[in-house]
Amino acid sequence: MSDETRQTAAANNATEAENRATEAPDAETPDAGAAAPETDAVETLKSENADLRDRLLRTVAEMENLRKRAEREVREAGQYAISRFAHDLLGVGDNMRRALETVGGEAREAADSVLIGLLDGVEMTERELLKTLEKHGVTRVAPQGEKFDPNFHQAMFEVPDESVPSGTVVQVVQTGYKIGERCLRPAMVGVSKGGPKTAAKPETAETAPDGPPQVDKTA
């Protein structure tokens, strides 16, 4: 083989080697392209999983709140369903108390056995009525000496008295009642006026600001 032929063959080999080196990266290109879609699919699944988890937690929280609200409504329905009936019974108790108060101490001492037995029966009936009402969550509100509370008291008149703080209940005209934490019938009271003011309490959604109570002018 001549030198010229060998040089030509060497040149051809070098050209082929260069071509293979140039084509090698192109052969790996499809693999890199295949990895990108796979990565996108994983990220999409992670995002969907996080979204489903968030929706599940929200649904669980909403169902728990709904359960608690339903339980509270059922409990309150059972507790306050008798409000109107209980309110009507209070008049019966008031009449029995008035009947007992019409018989003073001297009259009771001078009464015969029949009248004493009648009075004892009325007292027992009154106690039984109050006991039954209390069994169903109805309790008395007798705020003598307490600070006037517009949520449970109704001011009928004011009494000038500097010996007690202004706005103090100094007389109870009619006993009030509440059922659970709600007012069933406000206590009719007389409140003091002219004494030192009581310490102010933080205002809430259910309490009125400190100040002179509103007196019922229709009494």
Side-chain angles (χ1 to χ4, degrees):
M1 183 179 295
S2 64
D3 293 338
E4 183 178 354
T5 302
R6 284 195 294 269
Q7 290 177 357
T8 301
N12 291 336
N13 292 337
T15 301
E16 291 178 1
E18 184 176 350
N19 290 337
R20 285 196 297 271
T22 303
E23 293 174 356
D26 294 336
E28 297 177 357
T29 301
D31 294 336
E38 183 178 351
T39 302
D40 292 342
V42 171
E43 294 298 326
T44 300
L45 290 175
K46 288 182 178 180
S47 177
E48 291 178 353
N49 180 65
D51 181 63
L52 290 174
R53 184 175 183 276
D54 181 68
R55 291 168 60 184
L56 175 62
L57 293 176
R58 289 177 182 273
T59 302
V60 170
E62 290 176 359
M63 293 300 296
E64 181 66 16
N65 291 336
L66 179 61
R67 182 186 65 81
K68 292 181 179 179
R69 184 165 58 251
E71 289 180 351
R72 183 176 65 253
E73 290 176 354
V74 170
R75 183 173 61 253
E76 291 182 351
Q79 183 177 20
Y80 299 117
I82 64 167
S83 295
R84 182 173 297 180
F85 176 69
H87 185 274
D88 292 340
L89 284 181
L90 297 182
V92 179
D94 292 339
N95 289 333
M96 286 190 290
R97 174 47 47 186
R98 293 189 187 100
L100 292 171
E101 290 176 350
T102 57
V103 183
E106 295 181 359
R108 184 182 286 265
E109 292 177 359
D112 57 20
S113 59
V114 175
L115 179 57
I116 292 176
L118 176 61
L119 294 174
D120 290 342
V122 174
E123 288 179 342
M124 291 176 61
T125 304
E126 181 191 35
R127 287 196 298 269
E128 186 65 23
L129 174 63
L130 295 176
K131 183 178 179 181
T132 302
L133 289 173
E134 187 173 356
K135 179 181 178 182
H136 292 278
V138 179
T139 55
R140 302 179 70 179
V141 178
Q144 182 74 31
E146 298 179 1
K147 185 180 181 300
F148 178 81
D149 184 352
N151 296 304
F152 296 99
H153 311 153
Q154 181 178 350
M156 305 303 295
F157 53 86
E158 293 179 329
V159 179
D161 190 347
E162 296 182 357
S163 64
V164 294
S166 181
T168 300
V169 176
V170 294
Q171 184 176 347
V172 178
V173 179
Q174 185 181 64
T175 302
Y177 290 85
K178 64 180 182 178
I179 180 168
E181 297 301 322
R182 298 181 183 180
C183 179
L184 183 61
R185 187 182 75 182
M188 296 182 180
V189 301
V191 295
S192 63
K193 177 184 178 181
K197 292 183 178 181
T198 56
K201 293 183 178 180
E203 294 183 23
T204 63
E206 298 182 354
T207 57
D210 272 344
Q214 298 298 318
V215 179
D216 188 351
K217 301 298 184 180
T218 62

